[in-house]
Amino acid sequence: MSGMGSGRGLGPSGAGGRSFDCATFSFETHIHSPQPQNIGSISVGEILEVVLAIMDGIQVVQIRKSDGTVVGGLVEKGPRIRECLEAGYIYTATVRDIQGAAVRIFVQSQGK
């Protein structure tokens, strides 16, 4: 996929007509609804998976370990990242800091 607006994952952002590119989309946030029993098994610097899942009939963005263990979810920028994941982009979340159940991550695209 190349060019502005040439396919899913690229298009108007609704803010001044700027375009949005899933390939360069990245942001820092905290894991939402962290799973306390699984937080203890992650460490700063660990790379986690960002995936779509269905929970109670609702599509959600989950943060998982490579073995599939759910660490929590992602709410911030949820609609945008869902659009990119549906378009086939792969995202990872690098653990930046852990303070009890508060886990700060950096989410970034790995391309398609």
Side-chain angles (χ1 to χ4, degrees):
M1 174 188 314
S2 64
M4 303 290 268
S6 64
R8 292 187 63 177
L10 295 174
S13 69
R18 294 178 299 172
S19 63
F20 181 80
D21 186 354
C22 290
T24 59
F25 182 46
S26 64
F27 59 97
E28 190 162 304
T29 188
H30 283 87
I31 292 177
H32 182 75
S33 298
Q35 302 296 306
Q37 69 276 19
N38 299 332
I39 296 299
S41 68
I42 63 173
S43 56
V44 172
E46 187 169 349
I47 297 174
L48 306 172
E49 300 172 347
V50 179
V51 299
L52 290 175
I54 302 294
M55 289 181 59
D56 299 323
I58 299 170
Q59 188 180 55
V60 298
V61 180
Q62 288 184 337
I63 306 298
R64 297 182 184 172
K65 294 182 60 152
S66 60
D67 66 2
T69 302
V70 176
V71 177
L74 192 60
V75 174
E76 185 176 341
K77 305 190 190 298
R80 184 67 81 187
I81 199 162
R82 265 195 298 277
E83 174 185 328
C84 293
L85 289 165
E86 287 174 345
Y89 284 85
I90 298 167
Y91 283 83
T92 58
T94 304
V95 178
R96 290 267 174 101
D97 188 45
I98 304 170
Q99 297 294 323
V103 180
R104 188 166 44 98
I105 55 173
F106 180 70
V107 178
Q108 63 185 355
S109 173
Q110 301 301 313
K112 282 192 167 187

